Amino acid sequence: MPEGPTHSTVPTPGTAVPGRVVAGSEPWQPGAAAPEIASSAGGYVFFKPAEAAFVEAAVARLIPADELGGGAIEADVPLFIDRQLNGDFGNATRWYMQGPWGEPTKTQGYQTRLTPAQFYRAAIQAIDAVSTRMHGQAFAALNGDRQDDFLRVLESGAIALDGVDGQAFFGLLLQNTIEGFFCDPVHGGNKDMIGWKLIGFPGARYEQRFFLKAFNQPFPLPPVGIAGRREWSR
Amino acid sequence: MRKGAVLAAAVLFLTVALVGRAVGQPKTIRALPPPNVSGARFSPQQVAAGRYLVILGDCMPCHTVTGGAAFAGGRPIPTPFGPLVSANITPDRETGLGGWSSDDFYRALHEGKSRKVGNLYPAFPYIHYTKVSRADVDAIYAYLQTIPAVTSDPKRDQLPFPYRIRQLMAVWNWLFFEPGAYDPDPNRSAEWNRGAYLVQGLGHCGDCHTPRNVLGGAERRKRFRGGAFPGWFAPDLTDNRSVGLGSWSDAELLEFFRTGRNVRTAATGEMGEVVAYSTSQMTDGDLRAIITYLRSLPASPEATVSLPGREAMAAGEAIYRDQCSACHRMDGSGVRRLFPPLAGNANLQQANPRTVARLVLVGAQTMPTDPRPTAFTMPAYAWKLSDRQIADVLTYARNSWGNRAAAVSAEDVAKLRRQLKPRAAIAPVPRGSMLHPAPGTLAKPGTDSRDNGTAHAGRAAAPEADRNPRNTTGPPGNMDLPKHKPHRHEAQGPG
């Protein structure tokens, strides 16, 4: 039998441009889907122990647990970053990563020659080297106030790291921390949807029509991820 | 009675040949090939009548492969024991019906016997075609003898031993096959008799919609109460109001036959083919006759169903709300003529949930017809829902909004999943394939990346202060805008 849509050109009154009638159907196969690849379970696969210690300490300062609930640690943000660095994002699989290497403007986004994975590795090593020189301890071993001070200086760009842009790294770490706190849980972060519950985000829902005019009322349904929610199973 | 047991065992083997159904529906509908009536062998009227009878018999889909020549055969009809392959029925002398007389052709339809290979398997529905009148069979013969001859010799006998022994079908025929043309019922109207002739004969509706016994013979007392075959369950056609056509109006039935869609359902899969190639091209008179006959089928008995478990209903409701309600709506009302309503849906409430379990596992696409040319697709959920979850959401939908049907078991879904083998057909992007640019387009070393050859090449971004709306002197209306936070660093995350 013939396959694919058929097109026929018919004149449309009043215009010089012919209209097009599309009939038939798009290619379709039973069972076809583009499944979201779920983050693997288990411990760290990318971070070495010292790197994991830095990331755990740093994200806990960026989104700390407080009276409103858990923070980046409770949301499994370090595990999320670990999985992303181990995958396409970390390896810049879909980015143009070759020269020329001009001086970037602020609006040009990510502009290092390193992949994000290499960038994390180099930056964490450089940060711990500076921290050890200044305080005699790696970043993770500092107390909370000193960690906050260190991160502020890093963000301001006033600290020189060996071979990497510290300010750019802070920006990337902050961005990834926020992503890990609010991502779909299928990617490894936002554990138990604590980020979504905090802000009342309903998640991957498709039917909102009943609630469009329910102004100033709480959304009645719990958040749901791509892979579902607990109530889907008995 | 040992002889009987041996016979039964032999026949049991042969049931394979019966349960096969064509799968892999064609994507778009193709018109029947025009006949060449220049020779004086058949009258144009007879050939034209034959062409319409071929539509009534829905011959084209099974005897044509996707992209292949019309009626040249070769479409595999899978059975659990191997594929049955349809025959070339074009008038090619060597590989088709070119050498067949009209008597040969009548014998195939009336007795299930091929001039070439002997006994046919009942996947070719001769048990129904036997009811077709000799005049109609001759007209079909006339049409098939005047279409373009195509040399095509598909390898048809692909069944393993012993099923490939066609002579064994004689035993099956002796048990389950009643040859004989349709005998009109003088107590019924002409319209009813026309409908019965079409439904029982060329339409071969009972091939799917009548249940079969363990030996593959039709259960005559349960005629049109719905039948199971691999991967599908053809629904009840009787007057039953919950699982049959009892609650459908004549107008709804007519719209379904003409367009494949109405306010209750949409034709997909096997029935989609039937609508596209057969019912949508029938005359209104024949469709009304079919409806008149179907209306006379006595309602099947109501099934007694125990209440579903509370746990299954709770899990099913959660899944339904999150996954199904966008199209089928929270209250199961659907969207008219696009997404079938689930409240009162007969297909959903069949005793055998195979079809609806299939729809959730691998999805479905509606068959486009001329009046409804756009196909709609139900997505597959096999990749994200477990067997238990699919069973629970079906149990919920089968027992909500007034529906009542037996709970679905996870084992049934698991069995169907193994059979359908759903797989993610869209391959992930291979690593590295998105790297840009191609080596030949690389810029010369030392080229400034901002030198892009346009009028804006190399222009530096405006200083931060100039872009801050608080420093601009725009129209007063701008002041009403909520203050935005342009700096990502300010968004330190909640809490």
Side-chain angles (χ1 to χ4, degrees):
Chain A
M1 302 281 96
E3 56 264 45
T6 57
H7 305 273
S8 59
T9 303
V10 296
T12 304
T15 72
V17 184
R20 211 165 57 136
V21 171
V22 179
S25 49
E26 293 304 314
W28 177 83
Q29 281 193 320
E36 204 61 44
I37 298 161
S39 160
S40 59
Y44 295 112
V45 292
F46 173 78
F47 289 137
K48 296 167 184 170
E51 293 164 347
F54 167 82
V55 171
E56 286 176 6
V59 302
R61 303 314 297 174
L62 295 175
I63 307 182
D66 60 12
E67 69 278 5
L68 293 176
I73 295 296
E74 290 74 17
D76 266 355
V77 167
L79 216 56
F80 164 80
I81 298 178
D82 178 84
R83 295 297 187 272
Q84 300 312 311
L85 291 177
N86 196 52
D88 286 345
F89 169 74
N91 293 293
T93 309
R94 304 177 77 159
W95 293 356
Y96 175 74
M97 290 298 289
Q98 297 166 55
W101 307 103
E103 190 64 32
T105 66
K106 279 186 176 178
T107 58
Q108 284 182 309
Y110 190 89
Q111 288 290 331
T112 96
R113 301 183 191 211
L114 304 176
T115 66
Q118 294 165 337
F119 193 30
Y120 262 79
R121 205 143 256 173
I124 294 171
Q125 197 178 17
I127 286 168
D128 275 344
V130 172
S131 173
T132 306
R133 205 179 328 125
M134 284 168 62
H135 307 294
Q137 285 173 308
F139 176 88
L142 304 178
N143 68 32
D145 289 341
R146 282 200 166 162
Q147 287 179 340
D148 286 351
D149 289 342
F150 197 106
L151 290 173
R152 272 191 204 100
V153 180
L154 194 65
E155 180 182 18
S156 73
I159 200 166
L161 295 182
D162 189 17
V164 289
D165 180 342
Q167 196 176 23
F169 176 70
F170 179 87
L172 185 64
L173 179 65
L174 177 64
Q175 179 193 320
N176 294 159
T177 304
I178 295 169
E179 288 164 352
F181 196 71
F182 292 113
C183 70
D184 191 288
V186 79
H187 301 301
N190 191 13
K191 189 183 177 190
D192 296 333
M193 305 182 202
I194 64 174
W196 291 356
K197 286 172 185 165
L198 182 69
I199 59 171
F201 180 64
R205 291 195 170 280
Y206 310 107
E207 164 68 306
Q208 315 286 3
R209 283 168 293 194
F210 287 107
F211 315 112
L212 285 180
K213 290 181 180 169
F215 302 119
N216 299 319
Q217 291 169 39
F219 187 74
L221 298 177
V224 59
I226 291 170
R229 56 181 163 110
R230 217 162 257 165
E231 293 78 7
W232 283 17
S233 301
R234 301 190 193 178
Chain B
M1 284 275 86
R2 181 177 290 177
K3 208 170 176 182
V6 170
L7 181 70
V11 171
L12 189 58
F13 274 125
L14 292 166
T15 59
V16 286
L18 285 169
V19 291
R21 289 295 180 283
V23 296
Q25 58 183 329
K27 301 295 190 292
T28 44
I29 310 315
R30 192 164 60 182
L32 266 62
N36 173 12
V37 289
S38 56
R41 206 169 147 215
F42 307 103
S43 76
Q45 291 78 8
Q46 190 186 25
V47 171
R51 181 184 178 282
Y52 180 66
L53 289 159
V54 161
I55 288 171
L56 293 177
D58 198 22
C59 312
M60 178 124 150
C62 283
H63 283 284
T64 310
V65 294
T66 303
F71 297 111
R75 184 169 177 181
I77 295 163
T79 77
F81 297 85
L84 278 163
V85 178
S86 63
N88 177 358
I89 55 172
T90 70
D92 184 67
R93 187 153 284 280
E94 293 302 314
T95 63
L97 305 185
W100 287 41
S101 69
S102 63
D103 285 344
D104 294 334
F105 190 69
Y106 185 69
R107 202 169 299 123
L109 268 71
H110 194 70
E111 298 171 31
K113 288 197 174 15
S114 159
R115 176 185 137 113
K116 255 194 282 189
V117 297
N119 279 316
L120 291 162
Y121 293 107
F124 170 65
Y126 63 85
I127 61 169
H128 309 277
Y129 290 168
T130 189
K131 301 224 182 254
V132 184
S133 71
R134 177 71 198 235
D136 280 354
V137 173
D138 284 349
I140 295 171
Y141 174 78
Y143 171 75
L144 290 177
Q145 290 294 317
T146 48
I147 60 173
V150 178
T151 304
S152 165
D153 198 11
K155 188 174 183 306
R156 294 184 57 204
D157 285 326
Q158 298 182 17
L159 289 179
F161 183 83
Y163 316 118
R164 75 164 83 111
I165 304 172
R166 287 175 176 269
Q167 287 83 347
L168 291 178
M169 288 319 298
V171 182
W172 190 91
N173 284 342
W174 174 69
L175 281 172
F176 300 117
F177 177 43
E178 273 182 32
Y182 178 72
D183 190 15
D185 182 345
N187 297 320
R188 300 279 195 168
S189 68
E191 187 178 53
W192 184 95
N193 274 301
R194 173 69 178 166
Y197 175 70
L198 292 176
V199 168
Q200 297 175 15
L202 279 172
H204 62 287
C205 309
D207 216 45
C208 293
H209 291 279
T210 295
R212 295 175 182 281
N213 59 30
V214 288
L215 303 181
E219 292 194 61
R220 291 200 185 84
R221 268 172 301 175
K222 297 183 182 172
R223 218 150 65 145
F224 300 116
R225 291 185 187 173
F229 53 95
W232 295 94
F233 183 81
D236 190 316
L237 300 182
T238 72
D239 207 31
N240 185 302
R241 289 189 66 80
S242 56
V243 296
L245 301 173
S247 58
W248 290 37
S249 71
D250 286 2
E252 286 167 354
L253 263 169
L254 190 63
E255 183 184 357
F256 179 75
F257 284 143
R258 278 181 185 157
T259 71
R261 240 183 276 169
N262 62 14
V263 296
R264 295 175 180 276
T265 194
T268 69
E270 315 302 302
M271 194 61 200
E273 272 188 11
V274 174
V275 169
Y277 286 95
S278 188
T279 66
S280 69
Q281 302 182 47
M282 290 183 191
T283 64
D284 277 3
D286 279 345
L287 289 177
R288 287 184 204 284
I290 288 172
I291 292 168
T292 299
Y293 173 71
L294 292 177
R295 287 288 179 224
S296 72
L297 300 173
S300 56
E302 290 296 334
T304 47
V305 176
S306 52
L307 283 173
R310 221 178 328 157
E311 285 177 324
M313 289 294 281
E317 180 179 36
I319 298 166
Y320 184 84
R321 284 185 163 186
D322 297 349
Q323 296 294 293
C324 315
S325 63
C327 296
H328 297 289
R329 311 298 297 264
M330 291 281 192
D331 56 359
S333 60
V335 177
R336 280 173 80 84
R337 291 191 175 81
L338 293 187
F339 308 125
L342 301 185
N345 187 308
N347 233 340
L348 178 61
Q349 298 177 78
Q350 299 297 313
N352 183 334
R354 193 178 291 172
T355 290
V356 279
R358 176 204 183 92
L359 295 184
V360 177
L361 271 169
V362 301
Q365 192 173 55
T366 64
M367 180 61 93
T369 54
D370 285 345
R372 299 266 172 214
T374 309
F376 282 85
T377 303
M378 157 122 180
Y381 287 89
W383 65 276
K384 77 184 303 184
L385 294 181
S386 68
D387 298 331
R388 163 67 59 203
Q389 287 171 332
I390 290 176
D392 286 351
V393 76
L394 288 172
T395 297
Y396 171 77
R398 279 158 69 88
N399 290 281
S400 300
W401 324 295
N403 293 349
R404 173 71 70 229
V408 179
S409 78
E411 291 70 33
D412 284 348
V413 180
K415 215 168 120 189
L416 192 60
R417 186 193 290 265
R418 282 196 297 275
Q419 185 193 333
L420 298 174
K421 295 186 187 70
R423 58 186 171 21
I426 301 169
V429 180
R431 178 160 288 195
S433 68
M434 296 292 285
L435 282 178
H436 299 292
T441 63
L442 278 175
K444 284 198 263 323
T447 312
D448 191 307
S449 61
R450 285 165 290 171
D451 245 347
N452 63 6
T454 73
H456 303 289
R459 205 167 71 170
E464 194 71 20
D466 292 352
R467 288 186 291 124
N468 191 323
R470 274 170 288 196
N471 296 347
T472 59
T473 51
N478 274 7
M479 307 307 287
D480 297 336
L481 292 170
K483 280 179 185 167
H484 79 303
K485 291 183 178 177
H487 266 285
R488 62 181 182 186
H489 292 191
E490 287 172 7
Q492 286 276 331

